[in-house]
Amino acid sequence: MNIESLNIESHLIPTLETVSDPEIPVLTVLDLGVIREAVEKDGIIQIKLTPTYSGCPAMDVISDDLKAAFATIGKEVNVELVLAPAWSTDWISEEGLQKMEEYGIARPLSETADKDVLLGQKKLVKCTNCGSTNTHLVSQFGSTACKALFKCDDCQEPFDYFKCLK
Amino acid sequence: MNNNLYNYILGVADNSLILAQRLGELCGHGPTLETDIALTNISLDLLGQTRSYYQYAAKIKGEDATEDSIAFLRLEREYKNVLLVEQPNTHFGFVIARQFLFDVYHYMIMQQLQNSKDLNLAAIANKGIKEVSYHKRFSSDWVKRLGDGTSESNQKIQEAIDALWRFTDELFDILEADQKMINEGVAVDVSKLKAAYYEEVSEVLKEANIQIPESKYFTRGGKKGIHSEHMGYLLADLQYMQRTYPNMTW
Ligand SMILES: [Zn+2]
C-alpha cells in the first residue's frame, strides 16, 4: 500500500518508522500497513490503527509504543482502533515483504495459491533458508494467528509462512 | 438504549466468547503441538471478535458498561450462547466435532452479517469472516481425517457427532429481539440458513465416512439463558478473577 494514498502527514513519518511490530520486529508499522491515518491536530497526533487479526495482541503493544515514540518528541497521541476497511496482506509494502523474507518468514501468496498450499495440494511456498519450493505444510496455524508453519523437504528447515488475508 | 440491538449483539458475541473459553482450556493440553497451537489460535480469533462486539455493546448500553463488565459480570442466565459451544472438551473428537458444527454455522452468519444495515456489525463480520474461513477449513479437514482414519478415530468422531447433533437445531431459533432486528435489516435471519447448513455439514460427514445422525430429538435453551449443567463450571473459571478481586486490572 502506497503511503501517499493514505492520510499520513509526512512530518510524522520519521517517528512512525521507529515503531515496529512486536512480533515481527523487522517490520515498521508503516511496512505492515496498519496505520490508516496520522494527522496532527491542535498539537495532538491523531492516529487510526487497524488490527491485522481481530484478536491480535500486538495491537495494544503497538498503541503503547506509538505513544512512547511520540512522547520522545514531546507530542501527545490519540490512537483510535478502526475495523473497516479490514486489513489485508496486500497492504504490506514491497519493502516490508522483502524484509520479512530475509527475516525468515515466507511472503503471502495470491489468494488461490494460498488456498492450494494450505490444503496441501500444491508446493508453492519458497523455503526462506534455501529457496526450494519442495516444502510442505506442517500446521495451518503457526506461532501467531497470521502465520502457518511449513517445513522444507530439501534443507529440512522449518519456517513460517505469512498467510494471505483478503 | 436500543435493547433489541444490545441483546442481538450479545446473542452473536456470547457464542464466540464461550467457545473461546472452551478452546482456551486446551492451551498446553492439545494432543500435538500443532493442534494445540491451532486450537488456541482459533480461541484468540474468537476472543478478538468478542471484544469488538462487546466494545460496541458497551457503547450502546452506556452507563459504566465496558467490554469487561459484559464478559465477566453477568449471571449465567444472562448469557445467550447456544448450548453447543458450552459442551465440554471430553476428547479430541468432541473438540473437532463441536468446532466443525459451529464453524459451518458461524461462517454463514458472518457472510450475511457483512450486509447488515448496522455498519459496526458489518465491519466486525467483514473482518471476522476471513478468520472464520480458516477455522472452518481446519475443523473440516480434521473431521475428514478422523472419520477416514483408523477404525478407532472413526468411532470416536462418530460418537462425538452423535452426541452433539441434538444441539444443532437450536442454532436456527429466532428470539423476539432477533425478529425485530431482522425486520430492520440489522440481524441475520438464521432460520433461513438451516437447509443450507445441514446440506453442507452432511456433505463433509459423508466424505468422512461418518453416518449422519437420524435422531430428531433436539435440545435447546441456551439462547434464552437456560444452559446445560456445564455452563456454571465454565463461568466459575471465566469469572474467577473479577469475582474474587472486583475491578482488578493487570
Ligand atoms: Zn530449504
Side-chain angles (χ1 to χ4, degrees):
Chain A
M1 172 68 61
N2 193 341
I3 290 184
E4 282 76 53
S5 66
L6 292 169
N7 192 10
I8 295 176
E9 287 177 2
S10 57
H11 74 287
L12 303 175
I13 291 179
T15 312
L16 289 169
E17 276 174 339
T18 65
V19 179
S20 54
D21 180 323
E23 280 161 356
I24 312 172
V26 290
L27 294 187
T28 71
V29 285
L30 293 176
D31 291 330
L32 197 58
V34 292
I35 304 289
R36 308 314 295 161
E37 190 178 301
V39 294
E40 187 163 1
K41 228 177 184 175
D42 304 325
I44 295 175
I45 319 290
Q46 307 285 350
I47 295 178
K48 284 190 178 160
L49 181 68
T50 192
T52 51
Y53 278 69
S54 299
C56 184
M59 286 305 130
D60 291 335
V61 180
I62 289 177
S63 184
D64 287 345
D65 288 351
L66 284 168
K67 285 175 192 161
F70 280 99
T72 62
I73 53 165
K75 297 279 184 193
E76 200 183 313
V77 178
N78 186 11
V79 180
E80 188 195 342
L81 207 62
V82 290
L83 291 181
W87 182 82
S88 149
T89 37
D90 284 350
W91 294 359
I92 306 175
S93 67
E94 179 52 36
E95 200 192 333
L97 292 170
Q98 279 169 16
K99 284 195 268 184
M100 201 158 90
E101 284 201 310
E102 284 159 26
Y103 184 64
I105 302 170
R107 62 165 74 200
L109 298 166
S110 74
E111 209 173 352
T112 15
D114 179 86
K115 210 171 169 186
D116 287 341
V117 297
L118 290 180
L119 290 173
Q121 286 166 345
K122 280 185 189 160
K123 291 177 181 283
L124 299 168
V125 175
K126 224 159 94 184
C127 168
T128 52
N129 185 47
C130 76
S132 164
T133 53
N134 185 19
T135 57
H136 75 270
L137 172 77
V138 177
S139 172
Q140 280 173 16
F141 294 85
S143 52
T144 61
C146 50
K147 288 174 271 173
L149 196 59
F150 273 74
K151 192 176 175 225
C152 177
D153 293 324
D154 281 338
C155 76
Q156 308 297 325
E157 273 296 309
F159 62 96
D160 275 331
Y161 162 65
F162 205 106
K163 290 184 280 194
C164 169
L165 196 69
K166 267 185 196 164
Chain B
M1 103 174 186
N2 184 338
N3 249 318
N4 290 330
L5 179 58
Y6 178 75
N7 284 326
Y8 177 69
I9 296 170
L10 294 194
V12 176
D14 286 353
N15 287 335
S16 294
L17 175 74
I18 300 303
L19 188 53
Q21 176 71 12
R22 273 289 181 237
L23 293 171
E25 289 170 12
L26 294 162
C27 188
H29 299 278
T32 65
L33 185 61
E34 289 77 19
T35 42
D36 188 301
I37 291 170
L39 293 166
T40 41
N41 260 309
I42 294 172
S43 172
L44 189 62
D45 283 343
L46 293 171
L47 202 59
Q49 293 161 16
T50 309
R51 286 190 64 187
S52 301
Y53 288 122
Y54 284 176
Q55 281 162 6
Y56 180 37
K59 261 190 215 159
I60 295 167
K61 184 144 197 269
E63 299 159 44
D64 47 6
T66 65
E67 51 177 312
D68 284 345
S69 72
I70 296 175
F72 295 120
L73 299 178
R74 279 181 291 156
L75 300 173
E76 180 177 327
R77 292 288 290 266
E78 294 169 314
Y79 285 84
K80 302 169 193 306
N81 57 283
V82 293
L83 296 175
L84 174 68
V85 295
E86 72 199 41
Q87 298 311 305
N89 292 330
T90 315
H91 61 55
F92 187 63
F94 273 80
V95 173
I96 292 301
R98 182 186 60 206
Q99 194 64 38
F100 168 66
L101 293 173
F102 181 72
D103 287 344
V104 174
Y105 171 71
H106 197 195
Y107 187 82
M108 287 177 167
I109 291 193
M110 294 299 230
Q111 226 171 5
Q112 307 247 326
L113 200 58
Q114 292 183 97
N115 307 321
S116 171
K117 282 193 182 152
D118 183 301
L119 296 182
N120 284 305
L121 289 180
I124 298 171
N126 185 251
K127 173 106 208 127
I129 193 167
K130 303 174 179 185
E131 296 154 9
V132 177
S133 69
Y134 277 108
H135 304 171
K136 189 167 89 162
R137 199 182 298 164
F138 172 83
S139 60
S140 307
D141 278 0
W142 268 104
V143 164
K144 291 176 201 162
R145 201 177 296 178
L146 294 175
D148 205 15
T150 65
S151 60
E152 187 184 355
S153 71
N154 175 280
Q155 175 239 317
K156 285 195 162 176
I157 187 78
Q158 180 76 56
E159 176 198 350
I161 291 285
D162 287 346
L164 296 173
W165 195 255
R166 69 190 164 104
F167 300 113
T168 53
D169 202 52
E170 184 193 11
L171 304 176
F172 309 99
D173 285 355
I174 289 176
L175 305 183
E176 218 175 294
D178 301 346
Q179 190 56 55
K180 286 184 181 134
M181 287 292 103
I182 292 168
N183 297 344
E184 287 179 30
V186 168
V188 176
D189 186 348
V190 287
S191 68
K192 291 196 177 134
L193 303 176
K194 195 165 167 174
Y197 172 84
Y198 282 113
E199 197 178 313
E200 187 175 341
V201 165
S202 302
E203 209 169 288
V204 175
L205 294 184
K206 260 183 225 158
E207 202 186 324
N209 293 323
I210 298 169
Q211 285 173 15
I212 297 149
E214 280 169 16
S215 167
K216 292 278 179 278
Y217 171 73
F218 293 107
T219 318
R220 48 194 5 104
K223 282 190 176 181
K224 289 183 177 161
I226 316 290
H227 293 281
S228 60
E229 68 273 27
H230 308 293
M231 186 70 171
Y233 295 99
L234 183 149
L235 288 180
D237 248 358
L238 176 74
Q239 300 187 338
Y240 174 80
M241 290 302 265
Q242 280 302 321
R243 296 294 188 191
T244 313
Y245 305 99
N247 303 321
M248 69 90 66
T249 52
W250 293 106

